[in-house]
Amino acid sequence: MRRAVYPGSFDPITNGHVDLVKRASLLFDEVLVAITDNPNKQALFSHAERMEMAQVSLAEIPTARVIVFRGLLSNLYEKEQCCAIIRGLRAVSDFEYEFQMALMNRKQLRRAETVFLMPSLRWVYLSSNLIKEVARHNGAIKDLVPEIVCRKLKETFAKK
Ligand code: PNS
């Protein structure tokens, strides 16, 4: 069983994330989509909401499993006996942060390998932060996120 973990804040999941899970599912037997908090970001959605949106969005990928975790990614990697960490690289600007994280994860656990995948060009400019910013001002996000995410964003910002 070759299991890869795809960690992230997924606040919320976008079509770019879904694209990456699809690509990873062709390479690994199971893709563990692992949701956690990024201390540098203020989350809009709760863990339960992020998990529901990810589960519904990934329902067509039978080898994807969604979990919420706390603590170090390297501990989860060991506990779930993963053989790779999946991260997306959209542009050169992502590289420095991703490079640091990959090496820090390897420092914590020597066998933690990071595999970088590139999303389709269609999604290369997407980020959860940008989606939230556009949605907050009622902009067009319909083709950029799964349907459940579009609905949840609209509901959330309508209340604010
Ligand atoms: O989607 P994001 O916000 O870029 O994901 C960042 C994330 C969640 C992958 C990172 O913050 C993380 O791995 N957090 C878990 C705690 C941890 O292990 N931190 C050290 C990473 S080197």
Side-chain angles (χ1 to χ4, degrees):
M1 165 67 111
R2 297 186 68 75
R3 177 180 298 122
V5 58
Y6 179 18
S9 35
F10 299 102
D11 183 49
I13 191 166
T14 69
N15 286 357
H17 294 126
V18 175
D19 178 274
L20 234 67
V21 177
K22 281 185 186 155
R23 288 172 197 281
S25 71
L26 300 176
L27 302 173
F28 298 94
D29 299 317
E30 184 177 74
V31 182
L32 189 59
V33 176
I35 302 173
T36 193
D37 289 322
N38 180 334
N40 302 313
K41 297 177 184 169
Q42 167 83 44
L44 175 66
F45 293 108
S46 68
H47 287 160
E49 288 173 311
R50 285 185 258 167
M51 175 133 171
E52 187 203 355
M53 286 187 277
Q55 275 173 334
V56 172
S57 308
L58 299 171
E60 282 168 19
I61 310 171
T63 54
R65 176 158 63 98
V66 183
I67 61 163
V68 169
F69 79 103
R70 289 183 179 78
L72 281 180
L73 174 60
S74 49
N75 291 342
L76 178 74
Y77 189 101
E78 195 155 40
K79 183 174 146 236
E80 294 281 351
Q81 299 184 318
C82 298
C83 64
I85 297 167
I86 302 292
R87 290 288 289 174
L89 270 188
R90 292 163 301 188
V92 180
S93 52
D94 282 343
F95 181 76
E96 201 169 313
Y97 170 60
E98 295 298 337
F99 180 70
Q100 278 184 320
M101 280 211 301
L103 293 182
M104 182 55 88
N105 282 320
R106 192 189 276 161
K107 174 73 185 163
Q108 302 306 309
L109 180 66
R110 195 193 285 246
R111 62 182 185 83
E113 286 296 348
T114 302
V115 173
F116 294 105
L117 297 178
M118 264 70 74
S120 160
L121 270 181
R122 294 173 74 189
W123 315 123
V124 100
Y125 63 97
L126 290 190
S127 71
S128 299
N129 280 345
L130 207 49
I131 291 288
K132 283 180 283 190
E133 188 180 328
V134 173
R136 189 183 302 274
H137 300 291
N138 210 18
I141 52 159
K142 191 170 137 308
D143 302 328
L144 308 177
V145 291
E147 202 258 322
I148 184 173
V149 175
C150 194
R151 186 159 31 86
K152 282 284 259 176
L153 280 166
K154 286 201 169 122
E155 281 168 18
T156 303
F157 289 121
K159 282 185 216 146
K160 292 198 178 217

